[in-house]
Amino acid sequence: MENNFKAGFVGVVGIPNMGKSSLVNQLIGEKVGIVSDKPQTTRKSVVGIFSNHEMQALFVDAPGFIKADKGLNKFLQDEAGSVTDKSDVLMLLLTTEGHNTKTAQRALEEVSKKNKPWFVVINKMDTNQTHRVLILEELIKKYNVPVIRHSTKDPMFDQSAEILAHIKSILPKSPGPLYDTESFTTSLTRDWVSEVIREKCFELLHQEIPFNVAVQVQKYQESTPNSCVKIYSDIIVTKKNHCPMIIGKKGQMIKEIGMKARKEIEDLLGEKVYLELFTKVKPSWLSDNRMLKELGYVVEKDS
Ligand SMILES: Nc1nc2c(ncn2[C@@H]2O[C@H](COP(=O)(O)OP(=O)(O)OP(=O)(O)O)[C@@H](O)[C@H]2O)c(=O)[nH]1
Ligand SMILES: [Mg+2]
């Protein structure tokens, strides 16, 4: 390995819905984290691995910064904080849509306090009005950090190569890669599967329902010579009256969630999958620390 090899953790931070997960997926070229048009999609940090002959960047796709003092929201806030603490460098995502300059200012302040190498990506350039970008850049100026204008959607504004080159310039030196260079994520398949199912719930269900949904894979059977991969998973909701919405008329909704999820899982695994979904009601999963733990949202302290 060359001795100027670079490797380390890149914390991807910003308020919800800035396109953090979209950007990580784009840079890695695989679906590492789930994406939706609703804020607070990412709940647990996911590590996406980018490897080439000169660096390995471990992107930690975190939940967006929010303020809360209990339950799942508290967890999301702690998770975002701990990502910034554990990373070697930080990439802050901003856009001009969906938030005012005060929010951007707060995000800039928060990240600059961490005393780590950092830079800003202004994402969604395809939707931005130039004058609002200039206002945002004016705000960033006082921090004296690089700013890259980008869009994950429009190739005209695609600055992926520049983003990666900049990350390489600020990552620490390393004798070699820190993780398997063939993998694109450190997540277990089982966890990845439950996230894909959750993404389909975000995509297909209305408004407040997705925020109350958790997904837990109950059984994951590897394929055998006689049978395909079999996955049995619960979709957990907080209220009994959410169940019919998940199931839909004549089971149409749960069927569609299952079909869309299965297709993606089959693509990743490269083999046939049998997926069965069940609905379950757990009224207090959003606020009950024991239940949050069971679902993999590790809550350090009671709140
Ligand atoms: N127009 C446009 N939309 C984008 C772009 N990047 C992401 N999006 C959309 O923005 C929405 C949010 O994207 P995510 O990647 O889930 O955002 P996030 O920052 O990870 O959100 P949280 O996980 O909720 O914090 C999705 O609907 C994306 O399709 C972009 O460059 N242009
Ligand atoms: Mg996300």
Side-chain angles (χ1 to χ4, degrees):
M1 201 59 65
E2 294 170 41
N3 45 9
N4 56 356
F5 193 84
K6 300 280 198 80
F9 288 88
V10 182
V12 186
V13 292
I15 63 166
N17 220 26
M18 298 290 99
K20 298 179 294 297
S21 303
S22 305
L23 179 58
V24 170
N25 293 346
Q26 184 188 28
L27 294 175
I28 288 170
E30 292 282 356
K31 168 123 156 219
V32 179
I34 64 171
V35 167
S36 91
D37 58 1
K38 302 178 177 72
Q40 297 185 24
T41 303
T42 304
R43 286 182 188 159
K44 287 179 259 194
S45 320
V46 185
V47 180
I49 308 175
F50 174 91
S51 310
N52 66 16
H53 64 284
E54 31 181 41
M55 75 158 167
Q56 184 173 64
L58 304 156
F59 290 95
V60 191
D61 176 15
F65 288 132
I66 46 160
K67 285 236 165 289
D69 51 356
K70 63 181 202 295
L72 182 70
N73 278 341
K74 168 82 165 75
F75 170 79
L76 294 176
Q77 187 192 1
D78 288 351
E79 187 80 349
S82 98
V83 164
T84 52
D85 293 339
K86 286 178 193 151
S87 301
D88 297 297
V89 305
L90 298 171
M91 171 164 77
L92 173 64
L93 256 74
L94 297 174
T95 73
T96 56
E97 64 165 25
H99 63 84
N100 53 29
T101 47
K102 247 194 192 142
T103 318
Q105 187 106 48
R106 264 208 302 271
L108 286 158
E109 210 47 52
E110 188 90 17
V111 176
S112 70
K113 279 194 301 213
K114 300 289 173 183
N115 278 326
K116 304 209 166 165
W118 64 287
F119 68 105
V120 179
V121 172
I122 302 182
N123 190 33
K124 306 198 187 184
M125 279 304 293
D126 53 310
T127 62
N128 288 337
Q129 299 138 314
T130 315
H131 74 279
R132 299 187 72 183
V133 175
L134 293 175
I135 295 171
L136 204 50
E137 284 178 344
E138 196 56 37
L139 271 183
I140 303 165
K141 222 181 208 165
K142 83 172 222 233
Y143 296 93
N144 207 13
V145 290
V147 186
I148 301 174
R149 297 176 177 192
H150 180 77
S151 165
T152 68
K153 294 258 168 154
D154 185 344
M156 268 241 305
F157 298 98
D158 182 2
Q159 291 296 328
S160 302
E162 194 186 337
I163 294 173
L164 288 170
H166 185 65
I167 287 170
K168 197 205 155 197
S169 75
I170 56 176
L171 273 182
K173 283 192 173 180
S174 166
L178 304 169
Y179 280 87
D180 178 8
T181 54
E182 296 294 309
S183 309
F184 71 87
T185 178
T186 59
S187 301
L188 300 172
T189 311
R190 200 182 168 113
D191 292 337
W192 185 88
V193 162
S194 63
E195 284 292 273
V196 170
I197 300 168
R198 196 163 65 80
E199 181 185 64
K200 302 311 161 204
C201 296
F202 264 70
E203 191 181 313
L204 296 167
L205 297 167
H206 286 295
Q207 294 312 325
E208 89 279 16
I209 310 272
F211 298 104
N212 296 299
V213 161
V215 174
Q216 193 171 35
V217 171
Q218 293 297 357
K219 203 157 141 195
Y220 186 107
Q221 279 175 349
E222 299 287 354
S223 58
T224 65
N226 307 321
S227 115
C228 63
V229 176
K230 287 188 177 158
I231 303 167
Y232 301 84
S233 176
D234 288 339
I235 296 179
I236 299 163
V237 290
T238 48
K239 291 185 188 141
K240 210 168 171 188
N241 66 358
H242 285 170
C243 286
M245 296 183 226
I246 291 187
I247 293 164
K249 259 194 199 139
K250 294 188 181 157
Q252 206 47 42
M253 180 57 83
I254 199 159
K255 204 167 146 191
E256 197 175 344
I257 294 170
M259 221 163 56
K260 287 196 154 184
R262 179 174 53 76
K263 270 206 187 115
E264 260 189 54
I265 299 163
E266 284 180 342
D267 278 352
L268 177 88
L269 299 180
E271 58 181 325
K272 283 254 163 264
V273 168
Y274 171 83
L275 173 64
E276 199 168 331
L277 298 174
F278 306 89
T279 53
K280 217 178 226 178
V281 183
K282 289 190 180 178
S284 53
W285 84 259
L286 277 161
S287 55
D288 182 328
N289 280 356
R290 190 188 54 79
M291 253 177 241
L292 283 167
K293 251 184 207 159
E294 198 184 306
L295 290 163
Y297 303 117
V298 185
V299 182
E300 300 291 351
K301 45 194 176 289
D302 282 4
S303 48

